[in-house]
Amino acid sequence: EVQLVESGGGLVQPGGSLRLSCEASGFTVSSNYMSWVRQAPGKGLAWVSIVYAGGNPYYADSVKGRFTISRDIFKNTLFLQMDSLRAEDTALYYCARHYSGSGSYFSGFDYWGQGTLVTVSS
Amino acid sequence: QSALTQPASVSGSPGQSITISCTGSSSDVGSYNYVSWYQQHPGKAPKLMIYDVTKRPSGDSNRFSGSKSGNTASLTISGLQAEDEADYYCCSYAGSSSLVFGGGTKLTVL
């Protein structure tokens, strides 16, 4: 059974750092495209970052230069290192697996975790 | 990376059909057949309902269907049921390895 479990969220001051983790089971993270998606309280979904199966990372303009996506092959875990955090980064952060059954990795997200809450406030 | 435009809310009675629109641009929805739709109940993670504009994940309800015309994608739910009440989000590939979501639509079943 495919499962994604996020952790690492919490309260951090503006300018601070946090590292989120997403532990996967039932599939191999490094063989899939994986993304982080966030949802500010009471707001909609927003794509944050993607890592290709080959390891190439890409970011939304709003987090470029501040966030870093990575993977640990042995732990089968996805990470999001968040630096220089701002109030507007406050959100529930989901990790999601890209569906790979249609020939394109941008078809959609077929599995999501339950999210980890990040609050940036002084 | 501007968000796709969705109506804030739609409503319908049980058994009726409703359609939710998702308007983007020639840089995203209009250029790629990689539009997906998600259902999100309060306090829950999103669930994939439609991918590649029109395709349904195996085993999912055929009451949900997707389409696209130009820069606008649409999600239609037929035979509306009480459990369909939720927030719905569209998402499109936007080129250069980026994705963009819509602002979300709250569906109320009257």
Side-chain angles (χ1 to χ4, degrees), chain B residues 18-69:
Chain B
I18 63 94
T19 296
I20 300 172
S21 61
C22 168
T23 301
S25 70
S26 57
S27 299
D28 38 61
V29 175
S31 287
Y32 307 98
N33 288 322
Y34 298 137
V35 176
S36 51
W37 288 90
Y38 302 87
Q39 176 191 66
Q40 186 180 35
H41 287 109
K44 300 294 186 181
K47 176 187 176 184
L48 178 66
M49 305 304 290
I50 295 289
Y51 67 96
D52 288 352
V53 179
T54 62
K55 300 175 183 176
R56 271 189 316 273
S58 58
D60 279 13
S61 172
N62 59 8
R63 296 186 300 105
F64 292 79
S65 62
S67 62
K68 190 184 86 166
S69 177

Side-chain angles (χ1 to χ4, degrees), chain A residues 37 39 43-47 50 52 58 60-61 94 98-99 102 104 106-109 112-114, chain B residues 1 34-36 38 40 43-46 48 51-52 55 89 91 93 96-99 101-103:
Chain A
V37 176
Q39 186 169 32
K43 302 297 183 181
L45 301 170
W47 174 74
I50 182 176
Y52 283 18
Y58 297 90
D61 289 343
Y94 293 102
H98 287 242
Y99 177 63
S102 68
S104 167
F106 294 101
S107 296
F109 304 104
W112 298 66
Q114 287 303 305
Chain B
Q1 294 177 344
Y34 298 137
V35 176
S36 51
Y38 302 87
Q40 186 180 35
K44 300 294 186 181
L48 178 66
Y51 67 96
D52 288 352
K55 300 175 183 176
Y89 295 90
C91 179
Y93 181 62
S96 301
S97 300
S98 70
L99 294 132
F101 280 92

Side-chain angles (χ1 to χ4, degrees), chain A residues 28-89:
Chain A
T28 302
V29 165
S30 60
S31 298
N32 285 267
Y33 284 37
M34 299 290 297
S35 274
W36 287 96
V37 176
R38 67 185 180 184
Q39 186 169 32
K43 302 297 183 181
L45 301 170
W47 174 74
V48 173
S49 178
I50 182 176
V51 60
Y52 283 18
N56 291 355
Y58 297 90
Y59 303 93
D61 289 343
S62 58
V63 306
K64 201 172 296 182
R66 300 188 299 122
F67 289 12
T68 303
I69 191 171
S70 64
R71 308 167 305 183
D72 184 318
I73 295 174
F74 302 104
K75 294 182 179 179
N76 204 32
T77 298
L78 179 72
F79 299 103
L80 185 68
Q81 176 67 40
M82 304 186 297
D83 299 318
S84 303
L85 282 162
R86 307 166 180 168
E88 54 264 37
D89 296 318

